[in-house]
Amino acid sequence: WLLRGWAALWRAEPADSNGLAAHVLGAERAGFAVCEVVRQTTYALAGRHRFARYQLVFTLGRIGVAGTRLGAETFAEFPGSAGRAYQAMLIRTGAHAATVRYLLWRVRRRAEAAAAAAARHPESRS
């Protein structure tokens, strides 16, 4: 509900989920649509709102036998004077960096929980 509220306030596109699984090309969530999926290496999301057009690209790389490194890059355009003001506010306050750090922390936490559950129940692996 929080993302839907943010999307409505900022007139983000897409405005809501389209019901597709999050890892499927074309899946939409409030403010983001999956625009690229390269299985096991790249997952890219794109969106727009009244002050910016943006893309978030996740890259996955192997570490050793069982590890994975997740990287994230963001790209954005901030058209017009309102966009430039929004960009300045977003960067100077550290809000963008904090949001990306939180997002990566959540992904890590969910991945570690899934790995722990798989270790407890190896028969359920496919």
Side-chain angles (χ1 to χ4, degrees):
W1 64 267
L2 185 61
L3 277 178
R4 284 193 304 273
W6 170 85
L9 180 67
W10 292 97
R11 294 189 213 135
E13 295 176 17
D16 202 357
S17 174
N18 63 3
L20 292 175
H23 64 280
V24 175
L25 188 62
E28 295 178 351
R29 300 296 182 270
F32 291 95
V34 178
C35 63
E36 182 179 5
V37 176
V38 179
R39 189 165 163 79
Q40 299 182 345
T41 63
T42 306
Y43 182 73
L45 307 168
R48 62 190 301 136
H49 58 66
R50 56 168 57 167
F51 302 119
R53 291 183 296 274
Y54 45 85
Q55 186 173 27
L56 176 58
V57 180
F58 294 101
T59 54
L60 299 164
R62 300 297 287 159
I63 300 174
V65 176
T68 303
R69 178 179 309 259
L70 174 65
E73 288 183 281
T74 58
F75 304 91
E77 294 177 341
F78 302 91
S81 57
R84 286 189 298 280
Y86 175 77
Q87 178 186 23
M89 179 201 62
L90 194 66
I91 302 304
R92 284 189 193 137
T93 63
H96 175 70
T99 301
V100 172
R101 275 194 305 274
Y102 174 72
L103 179 63
L104 291 171
W105 173 81
R106 279 191 59 200
V107 169
R108 179 181 182 166
R109 194 178 79 177
R110 290 179 74 178
E112 288 172 346
R120 285 191 304 276
H121 304 287
E123 68 281 354
S124 64
R125 289 186 200 165
S126 47

